[in-house]
Amino acid sequence: PNTFKTIEYALKNLGEAHGTKFEFECYDLGHLYNVKWFVDKGLIKPPFFIQMVFGILGGMGSELDHLMHLHQTADRLFGAENYEKLPKLL
């Protein structure tokens, strides 16, 4: 399950404990806010990778407006200098 508890466990015990940096796949706006929550807790430290995924069932459509909105929101939440952008269109 992809719960906050299991994500926190992975960040601490698989990532931080072994020096592993994760890529965070964001299929919709809420995923950016989930990442922000872990950043605020100090479990994700910049620079980190955000892969914005579009055109997948249950996620945002692959329209340019959606890409721009997620990109602008990520810049506001994290600061453009604190994350790498990895757009992926399906």
Side-chain angles (χ1 to χ4, degrees):
N2 207 12
T3 66
F4 284 92
K5 184 177 179 179
T6 58
I7 293 169
E8 184 170 337
Y9 175 86
L11 289 171
K12 286 180 179 177
N13 298 299
L14 303 176
E16 189 177 303
H18 298 284
T20 301
K21 294 199 74 135
F22 295 100
E23 163 195 316
F24 301 97
E25 290 186 344
C26 296
Y27 296 0
D28 63 36
L29 188 62
H31 292 153
L32 290 177
Y33 283 93
N34 291 348
V35 171
K36 174 71 170 148
W37 190 77
F38 287 110
V39 168
D40 290 346
K41 286 187 70 155
L43 295 174
I44 300 173
K45 296 172 183 62
F48 49 87
F49 298 102
I50 299 236
Q51 183 174 19
M52 298 174 187
V53 182
F54 301 90
I56 190 167
L57 185 61
M60 295 188 80
S62 57
E63 290 84 25
L64 181 58
D65 289 345
H66 293 305
L67 171 62
M68 291 172 54
H69 182 61
L70 255 63
H71 186 265
Q72 291 167 348
T73 301
D75 284 353
R76 183 174 39 79
L77 291 175
F78 310 119
E81 69 282 358
N82 290 316
Y83 74 101
E84 293 289 327
K85 302 132 192 88
L86 304 169
K88 183 175 186 179
L89 300 173
L90 300 176

